[in-house]
Amino acid sequence: MINKVLFSAILLASSVSYGAFAEQSSTINTLDANKVTAKGKPVVLLGNGVSVGQKAPDFRVVDDTFQAKGLGDYKQQAVLLSVVPSLDTGVCSIQTKHFNEQVAANYPQVAMLTISTDLPFAQKRYCAAEGIDKLETLSDAVWRDFAENYGLLIKDMGILSRAVFVLDKEHKIIYKELVSELSKEPDYKKAIAALDSL
């Protein structure tokens, strides 16, 4: 059990890491410039954008016990990355439930990961309340390493842009959807078609 002092330190580290990232990273994701809107207004994405066909960048996130995890933990395993701004919002919840209930069971050989900037406590609470048991939730709240390496941090908001990636066993990106409007769901049929092509 994490005590209150440790919890406070984690919250402070999380806010400091975002502040440091936002100040130090002048990298604007030009690859995906003008591709995402929030309520119809364009947003700026920070970090390095990725493309289909390239090797997926590794990243460092934490699981619900604050243990560091990355792509190296899924060697020789295909991976689906379902990226959401926050599990506590309606569309993010729908997306997560859809992959958990209607996709994961059909692809047991694929690591199904949901990544957000929610703290692990919130992710764990959400999964318990909503019966999310086939996906692994991972938090980018501590280092924003996933945000940086995939070019998905929304400037001045501190959250990830909605996206879906499918990686083959060698972790080459075979599918990418950067959802054009934050309030919309991804194209599940295209993601499933990519999984079927593995």
Side-chain angles (χ1 to χ4, degrees):
M1 197 69 150
I2 297 176
N3 63 35
K4 289 181 181 179
V5 173
L6 180 55
F7 177 68
S8 297
I10 290 164
L11 284 177
L12 178 61
S14 176
S15 63
V16 168
S17 72
Y18 169 65
F21 174 76
E23 287 173 13
Q24 292 175 5
S25 179
S26 58
T27 305
I28 292 177
N29 177 356
T30 55
L31 178 67
D32 297 312
N34 303 312
K35 292 184 180 175
V36 179
T37 59
K39 296 183 180 177
K41 295 181 180 177
V43 298
V44 174
L45 300 178
L46 300 176
N48 301 301
V50 296
S51 300
V52 170
Q54 79 172 76
K55 177 91 170 172
D58 201 357
F59 53 81
R60 190 167 61 140
V61 291
V62 292
D63 65 14
D64 64 3
T65 64
F66 282 88
Q67 294 300 306
K69 297 204 84 170
L71 277 181
D73 293 292
Y74 307 96
K75 286 180 181 172
Q76 289 303 303
Q77 188 174 14
V79 178
L80 178 133
L81 300 171
S82 173
V83 186
V84 297
S86 175
L87 291 170
D88 283 325
T89 62
V91 178
C92 298
S93 182
I94 290 168
Q95 178 176 334
T96 303
K97 287 178 183 176
H98 186 90
F99 281 118
N100 184 71
E101 296 164 9
Q102 303 195 29
V103 179
N106 297 322
Y107 303 92
Q109 76 283 13
V110 177
M112 299 270 175
L113 312 177
T114 290
I115 301 178
S116 73
T117 50
D118 297 304
L119 284 168
F121 305 112
Q123 291 181 336
K124 190 172 186 176
R125 183 188 68 241
Y126 168 83
C127 290
E130 300 296 337
I132 303 300
D133 57 356
K134 297 174 188 70
L135 298 179
E136 184 176 2
T137 55
L138 299 170
S139 173
D140 198 32
V142 179
W143 301 291
R144 298 301 199 275
D145 193 55
F146 178 81
E148 167 72 7
N149 293 342
Y150 285 73
L152 293 177
L153 188 71
I154 301 174
K155 185 180 180 183
D156 301 325
M157 292 179 75
I159 57 175
L160 296 169
S161 191
R162 189 180 312 284
V164 177
F165 300 89
V166 175
L167 317 180
D168 68 13
K169 287 183 180 181
E170 286 72 45
H171 296 163
K172 182 174 81 173
I173 300 171
I174 65 163
Y175 176 78
K176 170 188 175 180
E177 180 189 7
L178 185 60
V179 181
S180 61
E181 165 58 46
L182 279 185
S183 62
K184 297 193 184 254
E185 294 174 64
D187 189 327
Y188 302 114
K189 287 183 180 178
K190 286 185 179 177
I192 289 169
L195 291 171
D196 286 337
S197 75
L198 290 169

